[in-house]
Amino acid sequence: MNVHEYQAKQLLAKYGVTVPRGGVAYTPAEAEKVARDLGGPGWVVKAQIHAGGRGKAGGIKVAGSLEEVRECARGMLGMTLVTHQTGPAGKEVKRVYIEKGLDIERELYLAIVVDCAARRVAVMAMSEGGVEIEEVAAGNPEKILKATIDPAIGLEPFYARKLAFGLGLEGGQVNAAVGFVGAMYEAFVGLDASLIEINPLAVTGAGELVALDAKMSFDDAALFRHKDIEELRDEDEEDRTELEATRHDLNYVKLTGNIGCMVNGAGLAMATMDIIKLHGGEPANFLDVGGGATKERVTIAFKLILSDSNVEGILVNIFGGIMRCDVIAEGIVGAAREVGLSKPLVVRLEGTNVELGEKILKESGLPITSAGDLADAAEKVVSAVREAA
């Protein structure tokens, strides 16, 4: 789950992370009032969407007067902001964040992430802020500083000092960095975050460290411990199909291909997408119905796949352990009849009650193609989609 910049800053401030003074506004008049309350001179008006690259797309403006604040807000609110992270469709701006201007001397990069390879939390820093870390990682990876944290010990001050020295900080700035990184780490662990990114991290003329921007993502599986964070969810910023899948405890991620996938088990789903690509196809989604799905959930999953207009064929790959193949088959048949199936459907079943499941599919009278194994299924669905094109 992601939150807006202003929400991330509010959360981080509670842990002692230094952020600029600011306020959110939904109308130009509200934006002007926020700026007046903050006091001048100088403000920054920021479009609030769940995507990076806002500055390059015109979503961040500096205003020198209250009238400019109002005009910047008027220009942003209601606009469709297109960045490298939104895709060509972009996202509509429904709120802006007004911050007090700062005397910025340097811009740095600082983030805390889950390092899957090390199976630990890692702090990453870079002396160049305000740029895409992916570009730096590809072209100049030596510029990225990294400290991997032992969970049994936690973040010791020497980790932060080492990063501070690597960033070229000196004097009181080093102590400020120790406190700043420590507060970020406490927020990361305490809120079950999966990412905290400060880009840029400003060094002011007075030597303070301030989070000019803030991005936070949270582990969905831990949200039951943080109802206050779950209430920050902005459904307008999320894919409608993914949101509907979440309501039914289905793991769905929309992709850009044309072959819909319904699989039980995350690992098997990844393997299914890989083998579709191996045979020249492109998966339209990741969809894991889980190990104990009911007939109703399978029907919902099938409808979710077909709600994507890009889907030209469907591959169902089920290994029946806890989930019985006959339950899957009943769900597939029920959903196909309800939506009026008109696209190629290939089904590969294996495991508990597989014979009964295949019998249900065969006797349904629907144009369903059975496959003997995963490779056979992928080859058949890719071929069927090409023939139907």
Side-chain angles (χ1 to χ4, degrees), residues 151-217:
I153 299 174
L155 179 70
E156 292 291 330
F158 77 86
Y159 285 116
R161 282 196 294 270
K162 184 177 180 180
L163 291 172
F165 293 138
L167 293 172
L169 300 178
E170 53 188 25
Q173 295 173 354
V174 175
N175 290 333
V178 171
F180 195 99
V181 175
M184 278 182 64
Y185 182 79
E186 290 299 319
F188 188 92
V189 175
L191 298 176
D192 288 306
S194 56
L195 167 71
I196 298 179
E197 183 180 64
I198 309 297
N199 186 25
L201 168 65
V203 181
T204 69
E208 294 181 294
L209 299 184
V210 183
L212 286 191
D213 195 5
K215 179 179 180 181
M216 291 189 74
S217 299

Side-chain angles (χ1 to χ4, degrees), residues 18 95 115 124 126-128 177 230 295 323 370 375 380:
T18 305
R95 66 195 84 182
D115 187 332
M124 300 173 62
M126 191 168 59
S127 59
E128 299 176 17
E230 193 168 18
K295 175 182 175 182
M323 177 182 289
S370 294
K380 285 180 176 177

Side-chain angles (χ1 to χ4, degrees), residues 18-335:
T18 305
V19 301
R21 293 172 52 228
V24 67
Y26 296 85
T27 67
E30 288 181 2
E32 182 178 339
K33 182 180 184 303
V34 170
R36 183 181 294 108
D37 292 342
L38 290 173
W43 302 268
V44 182
V45 183
K46 298 182 174 183
Q48 296 297 287
I49 61 170
H50 289 181
R54 292 171 297 162
K56 295 178 181 179
I60 299 178
K61 300 286 187 180
V62 176
S65 67
L66 294 176
E67 181 59 28
E68 285 185 25
V69 170
R70 178 189 280 267
E71 289 306 310
C72 287
R74 179 178 289 113
M76 290 182 192
L77 290 167
M79 75 178 291
T80 298
L81 200 61
V82 180
T83 79
H84 67 284
Q85 291 186 4
T86 64
K91 289 188 176 182
E92 182 183 356
V93 179
K94 297 184 176 181
R95 66 195 84 182
V96 294
Y97 190 48
I98 318 301
E99 285 187 330
K100 186 78 169 61
L102 294 174
D103 173 23
I104 301 171
E105 186 175 276
R106 292 181 62 196
E107 291 187 354
L108 311 173
Y109 175 95
L110 184 63
I112 300 182
V113 301
V114 176
D115 187 332
C116 296
R119 300 182 182 181
R120 295 183 177 183
V121 172
V123 183
M124 300 173 62
M126 191 168 59
S127 59
E128 299 176 17
V131 299
E132 300 299 327
I133 192 171
E134 294 84 2
E135 296 176 6
V136 178
N140 303 98
E142 71 281 356
K143 292 185 177 182
I144 300 176
L145 309 174
K146 183 177 177 181
T148 304
I149 312 304
D150 187 333
I153 299 174
L155 179 70
E156 292 291 330
F158 77 86
Y159 285 116
R161 282 196 294 270
K162 184 177 180 180
L163 291 172
F165 293 138
L167 293 172
L169 300 178
E170 53 188 25
Q173 295 173 354
V174 175
N175 290 333
V178 171
F180 195 99
V181 175
M184 278 182 64
Y185 182 79
E186 290 299 319
F188 188 92
V189 175
L191 298 176
D192 288 306
S194 56
L195 167 71
I196 298 179
E197 183 180 64
I198 309 297
N199 186 25
L201 168 65
V203 181
T204 69
E208 294 181 294
L209 299 184
V210 183
L212 286 191
D213 195 5
K215 179 179 180 181
M216 291 189 74
S217 299
F218 302 90
D219 183 351
D220 290 346
L223 287 178
F224 72 94
R225 291 199 289 255
H226 306 282
K227 296 301 181 182
D228 56 332
I229 294 177
E230 193 168 18
E231 291 174 358
L232 300 179
R233 184 188 294 273
D234 185 353
E235 295 186 353
D236 289 338
E237 291 289 323
E238 300 187 27
D239 181 86
R240 294 297 179 186
T241 308
E242 292 181 10
L243 192 60
E244 182 66 19
T246 300
R247 294 191 179 108
H248 297 283
D249 295 324
L250 295 169
N251 298 309
Y252 175 95
V253 178
K254 190 178 185 306
L255 302 174
T256 58
N258 60 353
I259 297 178
C261 307
M262 183 169 71
V263 191
N264 65 324
L268 189 58
M270 296 296 289
T272 301
M273 292 190 295
D274 285 344
I275 203 164
I276 286 174
K277 289 185 70 69
L278 181 65
H279 283 79
E282 291 292 335
N285 64 271
F286 168 100
L287 199 162
D288 171 17
V289 296
T294 63
K295 175 182 175 182
E296 290 72 24
R297 283 181 64 195
V298 171
T299 302
I300 292 169
F302 203 84
K303 290 180 179 178
L304 288 174
I305 293 173
L306 289 174
S307 69
D308 183 351
S309 60
N310 293 328
V311 170
E312 299 175 2
I314 302 171
L315 172 57
V316 177
N317 181 27
I318 299 295
F319 186 86
I322 299 174
M323 177 182 289
R324 304 193 329 260
C325 292
D326 56 312
V327 172
I328 291 292
E330 289 174 355
I332 293 170
V333 170

